[in-house]
Amino acid sequence: MMYAKPFHAFCASRAPRCGSSIAPIIVMGAGLFAAMAGSVCTAQPAGERPVRLVVGYSPGGGVDFFAHVLAGKLSGTLQQQCIVDNRIPICPRK
């Protein structure tokens, strides 16, 4: 009478894969750690100082106009004052 080969004998006869059984565990552990760490971190409250938008062009141009429109939208969204700061470069652009 012929008996069936036990399952553990079949698995032992196969060539082992180089550490591939531990890799999914490490990936799942890292993902779980990242999810837990993300839930602990909270955003810091906004400061008292105004938000400053630095524009590298002279006032009165199209970029300055767009920066002022953006500052108005930001101050409404953030409930904080936004300032447009025009900083003209020292050397002229080529």
Side-chain angles (χ1 to χ4, degrees):
M1 188 168 202
M2 185 171 230
Y3 291 103
K5 199 178 204 184
F7 183 71
H8 59 82
F10 174 73
C11 291
S13 66
R14 296 176 64 189
R17 291 178 271 170
C18 299
S20 64
S21 62
I22 193 81
I25 295 171
I26 293 174
V27 170
M28 286 189 297
L32 182 64
F33 177 75
M36 289 173 53
S39 65
V40 174
C41 297
T42 57
Q44 297 177 354
E48 302 273 334
R49 296 171 33 188
V51 176
R52 183 179 301 260
L53 297 175
V54 179
V55 178
Y57 292 95
S58 59
V63 176
D64 182 50
F65 175 75
F66 179 73
H68 277 88
V69 170
L70 182 65
K73 297 284 185 183
L74 275 176
S75 62
T77 303
L78 299 176
Q79 299 296 320
Q80 193 171 1
Q81 183 182 7
C82 293
I83 297 174
V84 177
D85 189 9
N86 292 334
R87 300 268 175 112
I88 303 171
I90 295 172
C91 59
R93 297 178 189 212
K94 294 182 179 180

